[in-house]
Amino acid sequence: MAETPRTIDARIGDDLPRIDVIGLANTRRIMHAERHNDGTRMPMFIPAASWARLLELHCTGEGAPDRPRLAPSRVMEGLERALARIMTEIARHEAGQDEPLRPAYGVTSDLFGAEGPVDIRMVVDSTTGVACMLAAPPADMAALGLDNAARG
């Protein structure tokens, strides 16, 4: 049975940082974390370093008997589903509190390896005005320099 899509209306806060998402993508510092987006959800991105970590964990690293190696396309499918679930939970929580999306969230997940923190940033592309989600381990997020870019 096909899963019925659920839409959760989330308000975008006025305090979301405006950054050059397109520039980060064009210089390959971030990449889309989804195969397709029909425009009904916020575009999702991860830093290139986080994608390299996922490939190492699931595609090219040392194999384990209980963890077969996957094709990159399978890793992308899993990434897309995982981030969509995280985004849905964030949106559901904020909508339930009648609050707009905040600029930053922290979740605990094994998405990028051993269970640990994952930073979620809600940003607005400074050129297009499109709200986007960025997700990464804290070190990968910090390497993007978003906090400095948002101030400048």
Side-chain angles (χ1 to χ4, degrees), residues 56-108:
E56 173 68 24
L57 280 169
H58 302 292
C59 302
T60 62
E62 295 281 329
D66 62 332
R67 247 187 33 203
R69 300 288 91 197
L70 301 173
S73 60
R74 294 292 308 268
V75 175
M76 179 58 79
E77 288 171 17
L79 173 65
E80 184 176 29
R81 282 193 311 271
L83 291 180
R85 280 193 304 270
I86 290 169
M87 184 67 234
T88 298
E89 288 306 312
I90 289 171
R92 180 178 288 131
H93 178 268
E94 298 299 10
Q97 303 294 317
D98 196 28
E99 293 290 331
L101 294 175
R102 293 177 290 156
Y105 296 87
V107 299
T108 300

Side-chain angles (χ1 to χ4, degrees), residues 21 32-34 37 41-45 87 130-134:
V21 174
H32 271 105
E34 56 196 344
N37 188 331
R41 69 174 181 222
M42 187 180 288
M44 301 180 296
F45 295 88
M87 184 67 234
V130 173
C132 303
M133 172 187 162
L134 295 169

